[in-house]
Amino acid sequence: MSAESKKAHNFIQSLIEDAIAKGEHTGKVVTRFPPEPNGYLHIGHAKSICLNFGIADTFDGECNLRFDDTNPEKESQEYIDSIKKDVEWLGYEWAGDIRFASDYFDVLYNFAEELIEKDKAYVCALTADEMAAYRGSLKEPGRNSPHRDRPVEESLQLFRDMRAGKYQNGELVLRAKIDMASPNINLRDPILYRIRYADHHQTGDKWCIYPMYDFTHPISDAMEGITHSLCTLEFEDHRPLYDWVLENVSVPCQPRQIEFARLNLNYTITSKRKLKRLVDEGHVDGWNDPRMPTISGMRHRGYTPESIRTFCDMVGVNKAGGTVDVGMLEYAIREDLNVRAPRAMCVMRPLKVTLTNYPADKSETLVLPVHPQNPEMGEREVTWSQTLYIDREDFVEEAPRKWKRLAPDQAVRLRGGYVMTCREIIRDERGDIVELKCEYDPNTLGVNPEGYKPNGVIHWVSATDSVEADINLYDRLFNHESPDSDKEGNFVDHLNPESLVVLKGARVEKGLAEPRTDIPYQFEREGYFFCDQALTASSGHPVFNRTVTLRDSWGKGGK
Ligand code: ATP
Ligand code: MG
């Protein structure tokens, strides 16, 4: 992507432009996307990815992908692999190799010793509870730890002993020596290192002490020559600490932290921790369940990278928080697929139709466009035969006024085919309708009938060569606008019981026997549907996941 292709202008871009114009910034712009590999990426991360890679792109700079991996117990290779895949799938290329904060564990350790030597850090033996009590509150200043004035040599020795495994989890910590009376609690001698006997996915059992985020992040940024460290607003109060770390150790450069508002979406949860709970408790079928707001879930459901990037552009980047309507995300995918999705017919709830005046041994091939507005997408063939299927919902025995579909003695056009009139209803012994006998009008292929007017157009498939398919009708996962608004974390109470309705025995036109797996189809009159590759392979016939309905009918009683 070139700089010209970037449209939305955000405040961070303006800040950088100003700095360049004033000569305050020279050289390359370097950003980074720094996920913690403790879960799969979600739509909120997509915003950060689009921003970081987008800024780098705009200024012909670079963006690194760095795993912020300082909590080994919660992290895993599975998460690392999924994150790499998701960033690539969104269409971004990181500069050079993947980075890990753990690449800098030696460097970080040395900087920690440097701080101790400068009397800017000390080893503290307060318990977690004591430390909390000493920390004070928003109204009360904190008190100095009794270990704060420990001699430099002693702290140095204790820190080395911590590293050497001479202490247990939680026995000692290394703390920055800043200001216990600071109005900013983050500056009240924050912890820099703690003891954790945990194997690390990158460094194995080399370390039993691990650096804290607030110490690791600024140094990792500086080691990589990051110029603009973009993060979400909750880190605004940490910025003085970010700057303090960089000012007090001998890093090669001074990155600048800039905060922006997190993306919050209604009807959606954007927290890896909570999404993990949905997975662990089996409320969804894994991280890539099509109802999950994870990038992998959205990919599985049929979202395109383009639609997600467009959505992030629409949302924009600013300082003020707020909640975005998930309808906007649905709009973005609908708009993209409207232009690009091939059309096909799928009868979800088949009702047999026999054309009484069409020979049983005859059939004909009808040619329909793959996309009505885009001839370049080519044509598709469907078969017209004596027995067809239409959707049960397209027939009623007593038509209401302005009924646009089929009813006794009324006519409809079958999309791309002929006009037919319903003449007889066949029922089973229970009285359920099992078949319609209809008469087709042979003079109506591509032309209007003479002397009467069909109600409307419905979709259909041939019984002879259509293919059985299962359809997963996905809907929003939560039926509450802000599912995690209550503090008790009862978001699982707001799961939408109808977020998945499975339809077995649907019929799709023959061309979908081996469906495309690169883009969803528009099933005419129904919505957009994406082939589920795993389920298709395991069930032996095509399985489709509903990406989104054709129109926004949420809460309007529509499908
Ligand atoms: P989560 O609570 O889901 O774990 P996080 O912020 O802890 O989110 P990280 O892996 O640390 O997750 O995030 C990587 C980057 O993505 C960070 O820069 C973070 O600020 C950004 N990010 C995470 N969630 C959002 C969001 N909802 N909107 C915008 N950016 C986000
Ligand atoms: Mg985090």
Side-chain angles (χ1 to χ4, degrees), residues 103-135:
D103 294 342
Y104 313 118
F105 279 175
D106 285 302
V107 175
L108 287 156
Y109 179 84
N110 292 335
F111 282 140
E113 287 208 352
E114 180 184 337
L115 282 179
I116 300 173
E117 280 161 0
K118 290 178 174 164
D119 200 18
K120 289 185 184 286
Y122 61 98
V123 171
C124 183
L126 291 181
T127 63
D129 287 346
E130 288 166 340
M131 215 176 294
Y134 273 81
R135 192 172 295 124

Side-chain angles (χ1 to χ4, degrees), residues 397-414:
E397 286 181 75
E398 289 190 33
R401 265 167 45 92
K402 297 193 182 163
W403 178 243
K404 293 274 184 239
R405 298 175 256 171
L406 193 61
D409 295 315
Q410 296 193 15
V412 285
R413 177 177 293 283
L414 300 189

Side-chain angles (χ1 to χ4, degrees), residues 32-38 41-45 47-49 52 68 213 230-232 234-235 260-264 270-273:
R32 84 286 169 265
F33 173 63
E36 183 179 356
N38 61 349
L41 297 181
H42 52 64
I43 182 71
H45 295 110
K47 171 170 172 175
S48 176
I49 293 170
N52 278 293
D68 163 29
Y213 176 87
L230 314 180
C231 65
T232 36
E234 68 272 22
F235 291 103
F260 63 95
R262 287 181 90 81
L263 170 68
N264 298 309
T270 46
S271 148
K272 279 186 251 141
R273 191 173 51 78

Side-chain angles (χ1 to χ4, degrees), residues 182-282:
S182 172
N184 183 341
I185 294 185
N186 294 301
L187 295 181
R188 295 185 188 170
D189 291 10
I191 298 177
L192 303 180
Y193 263 90
R194 74 258 195 254
I195 300 171
R196 278 276 183 291
Y197 288 89
D199 263 15
H200 189 285
H201 46 95
Q202 301 301 312
T203 58
D205 62 1
K206 178 173 175 191
W207 298 90
C208 63
I209 57 172
Y210 289 98
M212 301 297 287
Y213 176 87
D214 280 332
F215 183 59
T216 310
H217 205 74
I219 292 175
S220 306
D221 282 346
M223 296 311 293
E224 292 176 10
I226 301 300
T227 55
H228 298 84
S229 181
L230 314 180
C231 65
T232 36
L233 275 182
E234 68 272 22
F235 291 103
E236 194 164 27
D237 289 345
H238 296 239
R239 188 176 352 124
L241 179 54
Y242 182 96
D243 292 338
W244 182 92
V245 171
L246 294 178
E247 278 156 21
N248 286 287
V249 296
S250 336
V251 283
C253 64
Q254 300 278 322
R256 173 175 178 200
Q257 175 177 310
I258 304 171
E259 306 86 14
F260 63 95
R262 287 181 90 81
L263 170 68
N264 298 309
L265 272 182
N266 64 6
Y267 295 101
T268 309
I269 279 186
T270 46
S271 148
K272 279 186 251 141
R273 191 173 51 78
K274 291 177 184 165
L275 294 175
K276 184 169 188 306
R277 193 176 145 201
L278 293 176
V279 174
D280 291 345
E281 293 180 6

Side-chain angles (χ1 to χ4, degrees), residues 1 49 53 56 61-65 87-88 90-96:
M1 276 179 288
I49 293 170
F53 283 91
E62 288 183 348
C63 181
N64 293 350
L65 173 59
V87 174
E88 276 178 330
L90 279 175
Y92 295 109
E93 218 175 294
W94 52 84

